[in-house]
Amino acid sequence: MKIENTKAQMRKGVLEYCILSILKDDDAYVAEILGTLKDAKMLVVEGTIYPLLTRLKNAGLLSYRWEESTSGPPRKYYGLTETGKLFLKELNTTWEELQNAVNLVTKQKKK
């Protein structure tokens, strides 16, 4: 079994939560979202993020708007809908519970 496969699956499992968290305070376009994920060492490619953003939009968690750019074509900015904000709040609780459970099982101390 290769560790890289397991690591990729773990990252994939939390990607939706990370994207919603990035958008909690302000709208962002794909390059900004990817940059934030990259800075956090969450390696994601555009081919992965676009279908996920579309799925989140279709689920009513995200909306988008087009905005003109001074440095190229218009940009599509994504933001949380009210439903998305409520969903993220629930995910925050679930993440905290999961984190505590994993820490207990693996005997890790919470920082």
Side-chain angles (χ1 to χ4, degrees), residues 88-100:
L88 178 58
K89 188 175 177 183
E90 289 291 323
L91 284 180
N92 283 331
T93 301
T94 302
W95 178 253
E96 201 169 296
E97 291 168 353
L98 180 61
Q99 196 174 16
N100 289 335

Side-chain angles (χ1 to χ4, degrees), residues 37 42 88 98 103:
L37 291 169
M42 294 274 299
L88 178 58
L98 180 61
N103 287 341

Side-chain angles (χ1 to χ4, degrees), residues 5 14 28 32 34 36 45 48 51 58-59 65 79 84-85 96 109:
N5 292 342
V14 297
E32 292 173 323
L34 286 170
T36 302
V45 294
T48 300
N58 290 343
R65 62 183 165 77
K85 290 175 186 176
E96 201 169 296
K109 293 184 178 180

Side-chain angles (χ1 to χ4, degrees), residues 18-76:
C18 291
I19 290 171
L20 294 173
S21 295
I22 289 168
L23 297 172
K24 74 179 183 299
D25 295 322
D26 205 6
D27 295 354
Y29 63 101
V30 171
E32 292 173 323
I33 296 168
L34 286 170
T36 302
L37 291 169
K38 182 181 175 189
D39 290 347
K41 310 275 190 278
M42 294 274 299
L43 304 175
V44 180
V45 294
E46 285 187 34
T48 300
I49 200 164
Y50 282 108
L52 180 53
L53 290 170
T54 298
R55 195 168 37 113
L56 293 171
K57 182 190 71 66
N58 290 343
L61 303 178
L62 296 181
S63 61
Y64 69 84
R65 62 183 165 77
W66 288 98
E67 192 171 297
E68 291 296 324
S69 170
T70 56
S71 60
R75 294 178 175 162
K76 187 188 271 189

